[in-house]
Amino acid sequence: MISWQAKALNLFLKQTVKRSIENTKDANKLRFQMRALDKFSFGTSSKIERSQSMHNGILCDDIKLKFSSSKTKLLYLHGGAFVFKTPAMHNNFIARLVEPLDLHAIVPDYPLAPEHPFPAALDCCYIIYKSLLDSGTAPEDIILAGDSAGGNLVLALLHRAKRDGLPMPKCGVLLSPNADMTQSGLSAVENRYSDALFSLEVMLHCRNLYLESRNDDLHNEEISPLFGDFTGFPPFMLHAGSTELMRDDSTRLAEFMQAQGVEAHLQVWREMPHVFPLFEQLPESKAALKQIVSFIKQQQS
């Protein structure tokens, strides 16, 4: 059974956020409407220190424990359909990861579409990853994580890193990754109405804003990383909701990874909304966080 909090959240998202953005075509209006999600963010622990820094000319949020000297870096790529961002909500979730693991999280403020279409966001995130390696951070001290569009960027970044001969990070975590821009998974149709946050029309519109004139290249591994070669990738943990549009991005991704010898742990949660671990008021979010923390600790041991 799902929690009453999850039932209430699904109802709220369907009746407010999803309904308000269904016919939104203007990117700035969409950004304004999606800021409502940031209201679901509570304050972070007093143990957390937040600041900003420049990495190769790119502004990043830095989140870590106060007085920490941890050498382990968490490169987190936020979601937002490549078009918007909810910084309070994302940074709060990242802080909840940082505290039990003593990580130094780096969150790039990557450029958004349509002003900066593909591959601008990927180029930015790749520069950050490469700068970590160039500055002396060992690959085994890097963890990559991302949700939704950020999950797409995580996977695309690793495909590019593999192509360029760069080392892989220690492990990765993906929350409802947008791995298939062709929308060929059954869930894109099956969950068209059950998804509490997005309609298929909104997802396709955001995809078109991101890709601009690249819609003829949807199987490119940097656009739809689901169709790339995962041989040599690090271990991954994936979480998704059973009733979301992108459920099958996660299920097929885990299947393809495992078939190519990659350790992939998938958890599909019943009736959870898109990237539900970000909603800290949900018991399911707390349970997912514990699993993610345990997974990362196992990889570090």
Side-chain angles (χ1 to χ4, degrees):
M1 296 293 293
I2 70 169
S3 67
W4 68 264
Q5 293 95 327
K7 292 179 180 178
L9 178 62
N10 280 332
L11 182 61
F12 172 81
L13 291 175
K14 282 184 178 181
Q15 292 186 345
T16 57
V17 180
K18 183 176 183 177
R19 184 174 295 176
S20 70
I21 66 174
E22 277 184 324
N23 298 311
T24 301
K25 298 299 181 184
D26 180 77
N28 286 321
K29 185 177 179 181
L30 177 63
R31 290 165 186 162
F32 176 78
Q33 292 170 328
M34 293 305 291
R35 286 176 195 164
L37 288 179
D38 258 5
K39 296 178 181 179
F40 283 89
S41 177
F42 302 132
T44 57
S45 166
S46 60
K47 298 177 182 179
I48 295 294
E49 175 182 276
R50 290 181 53 184
S51 60
Q52 291 186 318
S53 62
M54 300 294 290
H55 292 260
N56 280 29
I58 299 166
L59 182 66
C60 298
D61 285 334
D62 288 85
I63 305 170
K64 61 181 181 179
L65 285 172
K66 292 178 180 178
F67 312 114
S68 172
S69 58
S70 174
K71 62 181 180 179
T72 305
K73 303 293 193 296
L74 169 65
L75 179 56
Y76 193 98
L77 309 183
H78 71 79
F82 305 101
V83 175
F84 62 88
K85 55 186 176 182
T86 51
M89 194 171 190
H90 277 97
N91 287 352
N92 185 50
F93 171 74
I94 294 165
R96 291 163 60 211
L97 273 179
V98 164
E99 185 170 357
L101 293 166
D102 190 13
L103 306 173
H104 176 185
I106 298 168
V107 190
D109 186 19
Y110 61 79
L112 300 174
E115 295 88 349
H116 305 280
F118 174 87
L122 175 58
D123 290 345
C124 169
C125 297
Y126 187 71
I127 288 170
I128 300 294
Y129 181 70
K130 194 170 184 301
S131 73
L132 289 177
L133 296 171
D134 291 343
S135 65
T137 303
E140 59 267 24
D141 289 328
I142 300 176
I143 299 165
L144 269 182
D147 63 276
S148 194
N152 176 292
L153 294 172
V154 165
L155 295 166
L157 184 158
L158 291 182
H159 281 312
R160 183 181 290 189
K162 178 181 175 181
R163 181 198 69 196
D164 292 349
L166 295 183
M168 293 285 109
K170 184 68 174 180
C171 61
V173 175
L174 300 172
L175 310 178
S176 304
N178 182 358
D180 175 19
M181 289 288 201
T182 72
Q183 300 292 338
S184 59
L186 178 63
S187 61
V189 177
E190 182 179 273
N191 292 343
R192 184 168 182 170
Y193 301 107
S194 62
D195 190 299
L197 188 57
F198 291 117
S199 67
L200 182 59
E201 289 76 13
V202 168
M203 292 304 301
L204 292 175
H205 177 62
C206 291
R207 179 193 73 180
N208 293 340
L209 292 178
Y210 176 59
L211 296 181
E212 198 176 44
S213 60
R214 297 293 297 270
N215 283 339
D216 59 339
D217 198 17
L218 294 180
H219 286 85
N220 182 317
E221 64 182 13
E222 291 191 355
I223 293 175
S224 294
L226 177 71
F227 303 113
D229 180 7
F230 298 101
T231 306
F233 270 41
F236 268 92
M237 170 164 275
L238 302 91
H239 289 267
S242 66
T243 51
E244 62 170 306
L245 286 168
M246 286 182 278
R247 178 200 65 204
D248 289 355
D249 290 45
S250 292
T251 58
R252 291 187 296 162
L253 187 59
E255 178 185 349
F256 293 173
M257 283 181 167
Q258 292 165 356
Q260 295 174 41
V262 177
E263 182 183 338
H265 304 268
L266 169 67
Q267 182 73 43
V268 178
W269 297 73
R270 182 184 173 193
E271 296 180 44
M272 286 298 104
H274 186 58
V275 286
F276 73 92
L278 270 63
F279 297 94
E280 64 175 307
Q281 66 271 39
L282 301 182
E284 292 88 349
S285 172
K286 295 178 174 65
L289 183 73
K290 287 182 180 179
Q291 291 186 14
I292 294 169
V293 169
S294 177
F295 166 75
I296 293 176
K297 285 183 176 179
Q298 288 175 5
Q299 301 307 315
Q300 292 177 315
S301 62

